[in-house]
Amino acid sequence: METSLNERRILIVDDTKENIDVLGGLLSNYKRSVALNGMKALQIAKENKPDLILLDIMMPEMDGFEVCERLKADPDTRDIPVIFITAKNEVADEVRGLELGAVDFISKPISPPIVVSRVKNHLELKISRENLELKNIELIKTFEELKNTQNQLIHSEKMSALGQLVAGIAHEINTPLGAINSSNKAISKEMLAILPELSKFGKILTEDIEAMFKMLMERAFGKHLSITSREERQFRRDITSLLEQNGVSNSDSKAELLVELGVYENVEPFFPLMKKESSMEVLKAAQNLTSIKSSNDIITIAVEKVAKIVFSLKNFTRFDAEGKKVDSDIQESIDTTLTIYNSQIKQGVEIIKEFNINRQIQFIPDQINQVWTNLIHNSLHAMEGKGTISIKTNLEDKNAVISFTDTGKGMTNEVKAKIFDAFFTTKPQGEGTGLGLDIVKKIIKNHDGRIEVESEVGVGTTFTVYLPLVD
């Protein structure tokens, strides 16, 4: 659904043809349609679904306010962003427009750079919202599919293991979904806070203020240093003192905002801005924009986390009815299983990985995933949820060698001699079928490989899998 900016459609509504020609010329890199009155605008908006509407307020018969109200009342057009282009500069007019659902105001006579910039910004915001909605729909659909298939998954040994982990996986997905939801609400809140200030901000944005504002945003967006509350208080005191020494009023509030924006040192370049009457408006605008970016960063991280879980689920649940070996990444298959077990692993368990295979190996992915599932599950059970699992991969004598070593309670020689027997289990009644390691051994044999076990009571256990390489 993603389209480039120049493929986006803009509807320009003005009863003066000269104004339409000017705006059309400024926005010539977009697809445009025009309307000379409100009724025509409503018709075009409903039929063509533009991505953005530039709407004049003062028009005969139906003014811009009424057009906007009708657009927002219609389910087919209510989500189209509306920017008012108007000579009405009263605060009451702006408040009314925002209450009706407009996203911005541009004052006449228009400033070409402001028009181009505002249109671009709001189109990018619309694209971001569309992409976020698509990702949310996909994530929710995936989560629902996971819940709906839970009862079916437990019919096989591998699916049974997944069935036991569904609650943890659901939590793993719900956590970033919650972050996406709360961040999306935060963005909406910040947008509502900043929009009424945009007109005033545009009026005070002289060239020198604009240059310092850009420098301030570069600092804020590039902020990587994490500081403690104690350090933050010290920075605020130091910057407050500096501002006071240089005759800056309201130094406490300004120092607080500067520190929040990541200006901890080299404050001197901002002294000219701090001495201006409009400095607080500039700092608050920067604060709002930084909050929006922070929320967007949280959404990005959350989406990446869920995407990783979904990718692992797809790999883990993949079933090859023909059982054909394919060139695959052995280490990626291990990581897939570790991701599925993440909700259990992170509770007191350390995973140490030493991966040294840099080539594809031929194996049946869904069967080998079953091997890693059983070995990891057994290690977690043996350690009773606390300890270290070391996983190593190496190439030795035309074999891929994969070992899993845990710091669990270990096994006696008597138990070790029976560990691969069908229906033998050391787990309490009802917790294990005794088929896990029997299935593992058969899968490895099906791959012309072998599995070995070493164990010492009170020290731990190592399972080593040997898979032959095929040239």
Side-chain angles (χ1 to χ4, degrees), residues 43-65:
Q43 179 186 342
I44 294 174
K46 193 169 183 67
E47 291 175 356
N48 296 344
K49 304 293 192 304
D51 295 292
L52 182 68
I53 298 175
L54 296 177
L55 179 59
D56 185 27
I57 290 181
M58 299 177 68
M59 296 187 296
E61 298 180 11
M62 185 188 302
D63 66 13
F65 289 136

Side-chain angles (χ1 to χ4, degrees), residues 251-421:
S251 55
D252 275 349
S253 299
K254 292 175 182 178
E256 182 178 353
L257 286 169
L258 284 170
V259 172
E260 186 177 333
L261 292 169
V263 181
Y264 308 130
E265 53 190 17
N266 192 21
V267 186
E268 290 77 9
F270 299 103
F271 283 167
L273 173 61
M274 295 301 101
K275 292 179 180 180
K276 292 184 178 293
E277 291 183 9
S278 57
S279 58
M280 283 301 291
E281 285 82 359
V282 174
L283 288 172
K284 287 177 181 178
Q287 179 191 38
N288 285 331
L289 289 172
T290 305
S291 296
I292 291 172
K293 182 182 182 297
S294 297
S295 296
N296 187 65
D297 291 343
I298 291 171
I299 289 172
T300 300
I301 293 169
V303 168
E304 288 173 354
K305 181 175 181 180
V306 176
K308 180 182 178 182
I309 296 171
V310 171
F311 176 78
S312 297
L313 277 172
K314 288 179 179 178
N315 281 348
F316 188 82
T317 57
R318 182 173 55 192
F319 176 68
D320 181 6
E322 296 181 3
K324 288 185 178 180
K325 295 178 183 177
V326 295
D327 287 339
S328 304
D329 188 327
I330 199 83
Q331 287 149 184
E332 183 180 279
S333 73
I334 294 171
D335 280 332
T336 291
T337 308
L338 288 172
T339 299
I340 298 300
Y341 270 89
N342 188 55
S343 61
Q344 290 191 18
I345 288 172
K346 65 185 180 183
Q347 300 296 329
V349 176
E350 180 184 11
I351 301 294
I352 299 175
K353 295 186 290 186
E354 190 178 317
F355 290 169
N356 299 299
I357 296 179
N358 298 311
R359 55 163 288 180
Q360 297 274 293
I361 310 294
Q362 279 206 346
F363 59 85
I364 306 169
D366 66 304
Q367 292 188 10
I368 291 300
N369 283 347
Q370 171 64 43
V371 172
W372 312 146
T373 297
N374 280 43
L375 296 182
I376 292 171
H377 181 77
N378 286 345
S379 291
L380 291 171
H381 180 266
M383 297 189 305
E384 297 179 344
K386 292 182 180 179
T388 301
I389 301 175
S390 299
I391 307 171
K392 297 181 180 180
T393 67
N394 289 289
L395 297 177
E396 295 179 11
D397 300 327
K398 296 185 178 181
N399 284 294
V401 182
I402 306 96
S403 65
F404 289 75
T405 301
D406 65 57
T407 57
K409 50 195 174 187
M411 295 180 283
T412 64
N413 289 333
E414 182 182 5
V415 170
K416 191 168 65 171
K418 300 177 182 179
I419 199 68
F420 293 109
D421 292 350

